[in-house]
Amino acid sequence: MQKNDGMNYAPKGKPNPVVGPGEFVIAAVALDHGHIYGMVNGLIEAGATLKWVYDRDRAKAEAFARTYPQVTIAASEEEILADPQVQLVAGAAVTSERCALGLRVMDAGKDYFTDKAPFTTLEQLESARAKVRETRRKYMVYYSERLHVESAVYAGQLIEQGAIGRVLQVTGFGPHRLNATSRPEWFFQKKQYGGILCDIGSHQVEQFLFYAGCKQAEVLHSKVANYSNPEYPELEDFGDATLLGDNGATQYFRVDWFTPDGLGSWGDGRTLILGTAGYIELRKYIDIARDRTGNHVYLVNQEGEYHFHVDGQVGYPFFGELILDCLNRTENAMTQEHAFMAAELCLKAQEMALDVTRSDS
């Protein structure tokens, strides 16, 4: 697992299959972002059978096949979509191309699982909503900073158990290391990556909706900047936003590309969750200057102060739940409404963001 590079961060957990071999067949299409490896790892650990891979760049497909030697490299996307055995297609396309791929997948009668952010425009979101209604297929999203982080999973369990009462406020920090020289060209083109609030901000919005139990929310304020990367004029290296949930809960989050080289992880991701009876802090990927492992959960409530180190202890239930949802047409892993609402809010935050870049800086 590449801990210094967020683009290629692909967690591995313990196998916990919910189906037997061949009972749930998947394919991987469009390998533009390294998150595809984390998506596939999670599905395989939950029992999925990986049959196909396809990318326009055959070298990417061949590299993928070296990691997953059981896979067959398809000659075309159409070959995969025409295979009646394939039940779900996972994809990590260029962000602006994720919706179009999803529409083709759903038209082929298959469920779709895409990397975040799932869209770059509100028009794409509406087309996906319409296609879901038409085909009754799933358009699921890999919001990995909650779904594929054990401390984040455990926090959800604590909240469900009532450990901190009703959630009032969620504060999220999502710093990332830029590693500019290893990034593809599309990463720096705003039309293709969507902007920082659309991109890595999507994780933060999704976590707020989940932890605070919000069905909807509104963006009160947002801003973006390119403070330190003038050589990439379309890159936003900083963004933040404030949201108000339909139940009165609030959120502030900050995302940025300023992780210093001295940090032993690609980002010091943290989440603070305030409740009526306590609070939780997540130190997701590192506990700086103390412990280079991640998945630290700090809880303070009426009973006392607690530290839980849950690395390797909780697992990633989302993937098994998603497989069973696809087979049973249920919505236990994540509702379609939730996946789309998180996408809608990060797009709105991006659209209304004030650019605070100083031209004389």
Side-chain angles (χ1 to χ4, degrees), residues 118-119 125-126 128-130 132-133 137-141 143 146 202 205-210 213-217 246 318 325 330-348:
F119 312 103
L125 169 60
E126 290 312 309
R129 278 181 164 141
V132 166
R133 289 193 296 267
R137 295 291 100 190
K138 294 183 182 293
Y139 192 116
M140 280 293 103
V141 184
Y143 292 113
R146 181 177 67 84
S202 62
V205 173
E206 190 277 332
Q207 289 173 97
F208 168 58
L209 295 177
F210 178 77
C214 301
K215 295 286 188 185
Q216 297 181 337
D246 55 359
F318 168 82
D325 281 346
T330 50
E331 288 195 315
N332 295 315
M334 179 184 296
T335 68
Q336 189 64 73
E337 179 185 9
H338 176 88
F340 281 163
M341 181 52 60
E344 178 179 326
L345 291 168
C346 71
L347 288 166
K348 287 182 174 178

Side-chain angles (χ1 to χ4, degrees), residues 28-96:
V29 174
L31 315 179
D32 294 286
H33 199 293
H35 282 169
I36 190 66
Y37 287 87
M39 298 162 70
V40 169
N41 286 349
L43 290 166
I44 290 175
E45 288 160 9
T49 298
L50 176 63
K51 183 175 181 181
W52 295 105
V53 64
Y54 174 74
D55 191 90
R56 288 171 293 192
D57 181 349
R58 187 172 176 88
K60 287 181 182 175
E62 289 173 348
F64 185 90
R66 287 192 291 274
T67 299
Y68 307 102
Q70 71 271 37
V71 80
T72 299
I73 298 176
S76 65
E77 177 188 303
E78 291 71 26
E79 185 175 9
I80 292 172
L81 297 184
D83 183 348
Q85 285 191 322
V86 174
Q87 291 149 286
L88 177 142
V89 173
V94 173
T95 314
S96 59

Side-chain angles (χ1 to χ4, degrees), residues 273-314:
I273 308 165
L274 174 66
T276 53
Y279 61 91
I280 293 168
E281 179 182 352
L282 308 182
R283 301 181 188 179
K284 293 183 176 180
Y285 309 113
I286 192 168
D287 199 353
I288 57 167
R290 180 180 171 276
D291 189 336
R292 290 219 158 189
T293 64
N295 290 305
H296 294 271
V297 179
Y298 292 88
L299 166 68
V300 182
N301 63 10
Q302 312 295 7
E303 283 73 52
E305 307 167 9
Y306 307 92
H307 169 226
F308 306 99
H309 188 203
V310 298
D311 207 37
Q313 305 300 311
V314 180

Side-chain angles (χ1 to χ4, degrees), residues 139-157:
Y139 192 116
M140 280 293 103
V141 184
Y142 182 57
Y143 292 113
S144 57
E145 290 188 23
R146 181 177 67 84
L147 305 176
H148 226 164
V149 175
E150 287 180 290
S151 57
V153 174
Y154 190 60
Q157 295 171 354

